[in-house]
Amino acid sequence: MLPYFVLAALVSVATTYAEDVGDRWGTQQKEREYYPIVNIPLPPGEVIEAGAFDVLPDGQIAVGTRRGDIYLIRGIDAAKPNPTFHRFATGLDEIFGLLWDGDGFRVTQSCELTRVSDTNNDGTADRFETLSDGWGYANYHEYAFGSELDPDGNQYVALGLSASYYSRALHRGMIMKVSPEGKTTAFASGLRSPGGIGLDEHGALFYVESQGPWNCSCSLKAVTEQSFHGHPASFEWYKYAPELGPVPKEPKSGTRIATESQRVEQLVPYAVVFPYIRMGRSVTDFAVNNTQGKFGPFEGQMFLGDYTLSVVMRATTEQVNGVWQGACYPFREGLSTGILDVEFTPAGNLLCGGTNRGWPVRGVKPFALERIEWSGKMPFEINRITIEPNGFKLTFTKPVDQVTGRKKDLYAISAFTHPYHAGYGGPEIEQQTCSVESVSLSEDGLTAVIQTSELKKGFVYEFDLTGLLSRDQEELLHQNAYYTVNEIPSR
């Protein structure tokens, strides 16, 4: 769930830090060897609570803040960074989308999509032009997140509800599509509290959903036109959005997403579930690694921050029988504040920023900019999990030892699902152990095909590969991963 920032004035710092936010992965020291974290010094006296990033053609990094400022930063990739900051604009509100369009920025703020430009070339914005205000805004919880442009020049804005259970302003809980000409139409419904929206490695549109009502964990959800994403509060706005088609059937609380998505035609199951606490508590925006190897072995993968746990995770997606699904993996813990956005820099580092204002955060700083860089040393990791007709295929970043890699008992797999219900969050239910019937390890040691007992739709499959070794006798840096099954490929 995204933080309720307004509570900052009501909750003391001591109370905020007293809340238990869950166990750590325990891998921070080992991660440092492969992916060190570098602090980015901030200008004295400036409060930079990063909510959105963009990379400019000249290599500058633009950062939009929760307080409504846009800064332009030079020197962020230096070996010992001491960057310069220039405030380009101020007076905006809760910036959670920032996109350079050639002559100015497209800024997604809670109330509208705004074009911000410098018409007299003095380095400071002097023109603020409304591109779209096709939605309502009346409550602090009504955050708005903007995507990059799709190949046709459209931008998508994901709108949070007025509160966890209610939509009290126009189109809240929907995704809006803004055309190159500024025409704004409703595109999808059923959101609760999004944390980001964008295109994955395949060019498909996804948004990040927060744990809460109708969502037992945070998740990645694939968005298509007229799709419904689980929370019915936005149904009342269909009367103003004929382009969405008929109002979906009212979902039944206490069911399962796999069965209810068969009854409710527009309902899309979660593509990637992030098991609560183990893999995030308040997952936020993502960036796709297109660094061409500058960030190590995870090319094309999505990297996501988490606000509460101050961590970064990975995710991969695939389409099976026309339905999106995929896996999530631990990556890096130990960041200094709550992460609201991440972005790859020109040098291939991962820039992370955010704040701790308003909700419990593991990181100790009130706000920070940090970069994660690859040391050049290859970690032994699960690279990617994909589904097979009878199980899963796992690829690794380094060759697996041929002895341990063929031992079935070192591939522990369990599964669970969640109730699909109106309650806030929810338990993992129907837990079960999956028997591993066979393991086929490739000659190069980089791929293992696992045949398991029967796979079930709507379940999250948890992998524990404790004991698996590389040819160099290294343990996996992270031994766990989680794959969400919506469809099973034919034999």
Side-chain angles (χ1 to χ4, degrees):
M1 177 183 63
L2 271 177
Y4 296 117
F5 298 116
V6 74
L7 294 180
L10 306 176
V11 182
S12 71
V13 172
T15 302
T16 297
Y17 286 111
E19 181 171 329
D20 181 10
V21 297
D23 294 335
R24 296 177 182 269
W25 296 332
T27 51
Q28 181 176 339
Q29 295 301 319
K30 291 172 61 179
E31 292 163 354
R32 187 176 298 165
E33 182 179 350
Y34 306 97
Y35 285 97
I37 297 172
V38 177
N39 179 61
I40 306 298
L42 301 178
E46 296 288 349
V47 177
I48 300 179
E49 299 172 304
F53 296 116
D54 196 26
V55 180
L56 275 61
D58 64 359
Q60 288 188 93
I61 304 294
V63 54
T65 77
R66 285 198 45 248
R67 296 194 174 203
D69 299 318
I70 299 174
Y71 291 87
L72 305 182
I73 311 174
R74 290 188 184 275
I76 213 162
D77 278 322
K80 294 183 178 180
N82 186 25
T84 61
F85 288 74
H86 169 67
R87 184 154 57 188
F88 176 78
T90 191
L92 299 150
D93 179 46
E94 301 279 11
I95 300 174
F96 287 124
L98 191 63
L99 180 66
W100 178 257
D101 68 2
D103 294 309
F105 289 101
R106 297 170 69 98
V107 181
T108 307
Q109 50 180 330
S110 296
C111 57
E112 66 173 40
L113 178 63
T114 312
R115 192 170 186 281
V116 179
S117 56
D118 170 19
T119 63
N120 62 6
N121 297 314
D122 68 351
T124 302
D126 55 28
R127 183 174 176 84
F128 297 76
E129 178 184 5
T130 298
L131 296 178
S132 175
D133 58 358
W135 57 86
Y137 177 60
N139 184 279
Y140 77 94
H141 191 271
E142 294 169 350
Y143 306 115
F145 296 83
S147 75
E148 64 266 52
L149 301 181
D150 72 10
D152 296 321
N154 301 301
Q155 189 169 12
Y156 300 88
V157 179
L159 301 172
L161 292 177
S162 309
S164 288
Y165 294 90
Y166 307 107
S167 179
R168 295 182 172 128
L170 180 65
H171 295 318
R172 284 290 159 179
M174 289 184 169
I175 292 173
M176 309 303 290
K177 175 181 175 181
V178 183
S179 75
E181 301 75 33
K183 181 181 179 182
T184 305
T185 53
F187 191 75
S189 70
L191 285 67
R192 188 192 84 80
S193 185
I197 185 169
L199 305 175
D200 79 339
E201 62 178 302
H202 309 286
L205 185 64
F206 283 82
Y207 89 94
V208 178
E209 183 58 274
S210 303
Q211 187 251 17
W214 299 100
N215 294 275
C216 290
S217 278
C218 299
S219 63
L220 270 170
K221 297 186 179 183
V223 182
T224 55
E225 192 168 9
Q226 298 185 339
S227 55
F228 165 57
H229 296 277
H231 197 308
S234 57
F235 283 179
E236 63 180 301
W237 308 119
Y238 270 68
K239 57 181 174 286
Y240 302 113
E243 63 272 20
L244 282 180
V247 180
K249 294 178 181 177
E250 192 75 22
K252 294 180 180 178
S253 182
T255 55
R256 305 287 183 271
I257 195 71
T259 54
E260 198 67 355
S261 61
Q262 299 302 308
R263 189 183 71 86
V264 182
E265 180 183 358
Q266 302 94 325
L267 178 59
V268 176
Y270 328 112
V272 179
V273 170
F274 294 83
Y276 190 60
I277 297 296
R278 304 201 295 290
M279 286 294 291
R281 178 167 158 174
S282 308
V283 181
T284 51
D285 204 8
F286 62 85
V288 176
N289 177 13
N290 293 319
T291 64
Q292 299 181 329
K294 295 177 183 176
F295 199 65
F298 308 113
E299 189 73 13
Q301 299 190 14
M302 304 165 76
F303 285 76
L304 310 93
D306 187 83
Y307 175 83
T308 302
L309 302 186
S310 304
V311 301
V312 172
M313 300 166 288
R314 297 187 285 124
T316 57
T317 57
E318 62 176 331
Q319 197 171 34
V320 180
N321 300 334
V323 179
W324 288 101
Q325 58 193 45
C328 60
Y329 320 78
F331 178 71
R332 189 62 165 98
E333 63 180 349
L335 290 145
S336 295
T337 195
I339 305 304
L340 291 175
D341 199 18
V342 296
E343 182 63 77
F344 285 97
T345 70
N349 299 312
L350 186 63
L351 182 62
C352 309
T355 177
N356 75 350
R357 179 153 56 105
W359 207 251
V361 168
R362 179 178 286 161
V364 297
K365 291 185 178 180
F367 51 90
L369 286 180
E370 295 172 301
R371 75 177 192 222
I372 302 174
E373 56 187 33
W374 182 39
S375 69
K377 185 174 182 179
M378 184 66 70
F380 179 39
E381 290 272 47
I382 303 168
N383 191 322
R384 186 183 294 256
I385 301 175
T386 54
I387 196 168
E388 296 279 307
N390 300 310
F392 300 94
K393 180 168 72 175
L394 282 64
T395 60
F396 298 90
T397 59
K398 299 178 72 171
V400 175
D401 171 66
Q402 290 288 331
V403 175
T404 62
R406 288 187 165 90
K407 291 183 178 180
K408 296 190 297 183
D409 60 345
L410 295 186
Y411 296 84
I413 304 176
S414 57
F416 66 88
T417 189
H418 287 121
Y420 172 49
H421 67 178
Y424 198 105
E428 296 173 2
I429 59 175
E430 301 180 38
Q431 292 95 339
Q432 52 199 263
T433 300
C434 305
S435 64
V436 175
E437 298 174 359
S438 67
V439 176
S440 175
L441 186 66
S442 64
E443 288 299 318
D444 63 8
L446 293 175
T447 303
V449 177
I450 303 170
Q451 184 171 335
T452 67
S453 53
E454 180 185 4
L455 297 174
K456 295 183 178 180
K457 297 179 182 181
F459 278 72
V460 178
Y461 285 78
E462 180 172 349
F463 293 77
D464 183 349
L465 306 190
T466 302
L468 198 67
L469 299 175
S470 73
R471 286 184 183 172
D472 300 329
Q473 301 301 294
E474 296 175 84
E475 295 181 344
L476 283 161
L477 178 56
H478 300 102
Q479 298 165 342
N480 300 96
Y482 309 85
Y483 187 99
T484 301
V485 175
N486 293 321
E487 290 288 330
I488 301 166
S490 59
R491 299 179 186 276

